[in-house]
Each structure stands twice: as structure tokens, then as C-alpha cells.
Amino acid sequence: MIKEGLPLINEKESFIKALHTWYHNTHRKLPWRETPSLYKTVVSEFMLQQTQVDTVLPYFHNWLKIFPDFQALAHADEDAVVKQWEGLGYYRRAKNLHKLAKNLVFLETIPTDPLSWNKFPGVGPYTSAAITSIAFGFPSAVVDGNVIRILSRLCCIKTQFKDNNQAVKNLTELANAVLCSKDPNTHNQAVMELGATICTKANPKCTVCPVVNLCQGAKQGIAHTIPSFTPRKTENITIDRLWLEYDGMLLLHKISATSKRLANMYELPKREGILTHIGHQTLLFTKKRGISNQRITENIYLTSHLTQSDIDRILKEAVNLIWIKKEALDSITLSGPHKKWINLLLPLKTD
Ligand code: SF4
């Protein structure tokens, strides 16, 4: 236990009272909270991993229409499941949720404790604590970036953590020590809500925070500098890609079924190998995005003046490159940014 946590543990009752009262009065009305069920809790927790509520909401509504319960999800094809996740990112979550549904429908009794849930695909300590506390009232504290931030600030923990995992390890005991064991459902949801709406990463709204009186970080005026993590070196990556149309079709790369990321999904092909010298290539646009510590620059080149010999070479030599009819693009699953780029460019381009 981190010794800086002791003052908060001593004030546990006041902390719980202030937090729960605030949550009851102000929490956002979210579909998985309004009419809760185990299925809605599981789906929402999978969707909310690494993803903001606003992004999740339309996907959640659509998902419930198409897969209303574990049975419907378990009996769906994996391709159909991943298709409904298209654009939400981290597609392994969709596949794991599908596998989880297949497991659960065969169980006579659904387990109610985090250790049992940890054995299911895609369920780690955070998700198992969230699901079992919300659905079954199991007293286990969730610990993620939000909780790390809130506890570190409340207790003014200035330790520099190597990464999120180390912070989770260090703070799990404290999170459980201040958990309301009588109502872990409300408690965990309230902490998550506080982290999402008040104790935000930049500019915590301490003046309207329900637990400001207990917050050492706010008292010392340094809350915004906490928690501290060892800076990670930024990696700059540039990827050149091609927009290549022929006879009403678009050339796409199908990612290998054994790939760790985005398996079986489609993307614009990289400008490499035989594609480097096909036709006449001009830069269409450049997009920048960040994933973790990577800063990725993607240049999309328009390829024109294709010759029959170019087409023959692509057919003969290219691996995992597939011509897709433009009207069939909706039936395949594209990775998120590629779907956006294609939707943007498709109406503008002609053969
Ligand atoms: Fe976070 Fe400020 Fe509340 Fe402390 S007072 S928990 S820093 S929002």
C-alpha cells in the first residue's frame, strides 16, 4: 500500500458519501445504465476499452438492434460481428466479445466473481472488476487511467510511474481499500464518471469536484501535474499508400488472417514493391494521426495512366492485393481511417 493513501483511507466514509451523492445527482444517462443487464454491461465495457463514450454510443445502439443478447451474438458469423465494429478500432475486442458470448451461452451458471471472468477472452482485471461489480455487486475496484489519476491526485502521489501497468499495480490495493463494499456498482461507476467528466487529464475541474475537500493534490495546487509517467520516446512513422482504380474497382490490401492487428480487414495498399512504379503517381493528400507514442504520417498517392502491363503485373505478382468493385465496398470490413479516406475520395474519383 502506498503510504500517501492512508489519509484518504482514514476519510473513507466521507469520500464514499460525497462521491456517491454527486453521482446519484449528476451522472450521465447512458443506455447501459438506464435499463441495465449483464449483456449491456459486457458490451459497453468492451466498447469503452480505449474509446470515449460519445464514440461508443451510436455503435452500442446499433449493436443492440442487430445482436440483442448473448444468444444472437453467439450465433452470428465472425465477419458480421467485426463488420458492426467497423470504425470503432481495436477489432480484437469484437472477436473476443463474440468468443465470450459463445462461451457464456453454454454455461449453466454464469460466474459472478472477477477471477472467473478473467479467464474469458478479452477480459482483463479492469473489465472483470467492472462487469462483476456492476452486474453482480461483487466488491472489486476498477483501476484504469481514470482511477490512477483520481487516486494519485487525491493522495498527492508524486511517484513517477514507468507506465500505466506499473501504476495499476501500485494503486490497486488503495483503490480496493477505499471501495464501498456495500455498493461497489455505484462506487465504480461514480469513480469512472468523476474521471471522465471532472478529474480530467488536462484542467481538472476542482472547483466543482465533490471530493475537493479531501484532495491533497488540489490543496497543494499541483493536481494538474499528477500522475507523473516516465516520458516515452516519440516514434515518427511515414507510410505511402496508393489510390488505384481500374474498371470500376479499387485495389485494396487484405491483411493476413494471422496478423496480430486488423486480421482479415482491408486497407489502401502500401506504395511498395511492384506498386512503386505502377502508372503515374501524384500526391492526393496527407493525413497525420497518433497511436500511443507513434506519430504516423500517411501520404495517399493517386495512380493514373495505368497500362495493361501494369494491370497484368499486379494480377501476377501482388500478394494479398484484391480488386474490389466500388459498389461492393460496403460489404467488406475496412480499417477505421481507411474507411474514412475511401468515403471521402470515392465520390471525387472516376476511372
Ligand atoms: Fe481531481 Fe481536482 Fe477533484 Fe482532486 S479536486 S479529485 S484533482 S478534480
Side-chain angles (χ1 to χ4, degrees):
M1 171 73 65
I2 290 182
K3 70 175 181 325
E4 293 97 317
L6 289 174
L8 183 64
I9 294 170
N10 291 337
E11 295 286 348
K12 178 175 170 175
E13 292 310 317
S14 314
F15 170 63
I16 290 171
K17 193 171 174 209
L19 182 68
H20 289 214
T21 305
W22 167 80
Y23 180 75
H24 280 303
N25 293 336
T26 63
H27 71 264
R28 292 168 294 175
K29 308 279 181 270
L30 300 174
W32 47 89
R33 286 178 179 161
E34 292 306 286
T35 49
S37 69
L38 174 62
Y39 182 64
K40 286 182 192 170
T41 301
V42 170
V43 172
S44 64
E45 286 304 328
F46 269 68
M47 287 189 171
L48 288 165
Q49 290 167 8
Q50 325 259 10
T51 311
Q52 305 267 341
V53 166
D54 288 348
T55 308
V56 162
L57 280 171
Y59 282 90
F60 183 83
H61 286 300
N62 190 50
W63 191 273
L64 266 284
K65 271 188 217 144
I66 294 172
F67 311 118
D69 51 33
F70 285 119
Q71 285 286 349
L73 182 56
H75 290 106
D77 285 339
E78 185 178 275
D79 285 350
V81 171
V82 174
K83 180 72 187 161
Q84 296 310 319
W85 205 273
E86 190 179 49
L88 200 52
Y90 302 100
Y91 294 88
R92 195 175 290 263
R93 293 179 296 174
K95 293 178 184 176
N96 282 332
L97 180 53
H98 188 214
K99 285 185 200 152
L100 170 61
K102 286 182 170 190
N103 284 349
L104 289 181
V105 294
F106 285 111
L107 292 181
E108 273 181 23
T109 313
I110 292 183
T112 57
D113 65 285
L115 281 180
S116 303
W117 275 81
N118 275 336
K119 293 178 189 149
F120 290 130
V123 179
Y126 174 87
T127 306
S128 64
I131 291 171
T132 57
S133 63
I134 294 169
F136 309 116
F138 192 96
S140 183
V142 291
V143 188
D144 70 343
N146 282 329
V147 180
I148 291 166
R149 202 164 55 245
I150 293 166
L151 290 179
S152 300
R153 288 172 174 176
L154 279 168
C155 304
C156 204
I157 295 168
K158 294 175 189 159
T159 309
Q160 186 173 73
F161 297 114
K162 186 163 71 82
D163 54 26
N164 221 52
N165 288 343
Q166 192 196 40
V168 167
K169 267 190 199 154
N170 277 262
L171 292 170
T172 296
E173 198 181 346
L174 174 58
N176 278 301
V178 294
L179 174 75
C180 173
S181 53
K182 284 190 207 127
D183 188 359
N185 171 3
T186 299
H187 189 96
N188 278 337
Q189 298 213 58
V191 176
M192 291 190 255
E193 189 79 351
L194 190 71
T197 61
I198 302 284
C199 195
T200 47
K201 225 183 233 179
N203 306 321
K205 302 175 186 72
C206 303
T207 50
V208 292
C209 178
V211 291
V212 65
N213 290 340
L214 301 166
C215 185
Q216 298 302 319
K219 256 180 215 151
Q220 294 187 32
I222 56 168
H224 60 289
T225 68
I226 295 174
S228 163
F229 290 95
T230 309
R232 289 175 73 188
K233 208 172 153 207
T234 305
E235 194 184 348
N236 291 306
I237 297 171
T238 300
I239 304 171
D240 293 336
R241 297 187 181 275
L242 287 190
W243 181 276
L244 214 167
E245 289 185 34
Y246 169 68
D247 197 19
M249 298 179 288
L250 183 65
L251 189 69
L252 293 176
H253 170 239
K254 185 172 187 188
I255 300 167
S256 150
T258 56
S259 169
K260 278 191 183 158
R261 291 188 63 245
L262 308 174
N264 286 326
M265 298 183 75
Y266 292 80
E267 60 179 14
L268 291 174
K270 285 186 183 157
R271 188 190 190 208
E272 61 186 14
I274 60 158
L275 294 188
T276 316
H277 304 295
I278 295 286
H280 178 70
Q281 302 177 1
T282 45
L283 183 62
L284 260 178
F285 64 69
T286 294
K287 292 279 176 192
K288 292 182 189 287
R289 61 198 171 107
I291 302 178
S292 181
N293 63 325
Q294 295 181 328
R295 299 289 164 270
I296 305 170
T297 302
E298 306 221 31
N299 300 312
I300 315 291
Y301 287 84
L302 172 66
T303 311
S304 57
H305 303 92
L306 283 177
T307 63
Q308 191 55 48
S309 123
D310 288 333
I311 302 300
D312 293 343
R313 281 189 68 200
I314 293 170
L315 283 175
K316 207 167 136 203
E317 299 175 38
V319 180
N320 286 344
L321 292 183
I322 299 172
W323 292 102
I324 302 282
K325 280 198 178 303
K326 288 195 235 171
E327 57 270 25
L329 284 167
D330 274 345
S331 65
I332 59 167
T333 308
L334 291 153
S335 90
H338 293 256
K339 185 177 172 74
K340 270 190 214 148
W341 301 335
I342 288 172
N343 284 343
L344 180 77
L345 285 170
L346 211 49
L348 308 175
K349 301 280 143 245
T350 54
D351 286 337

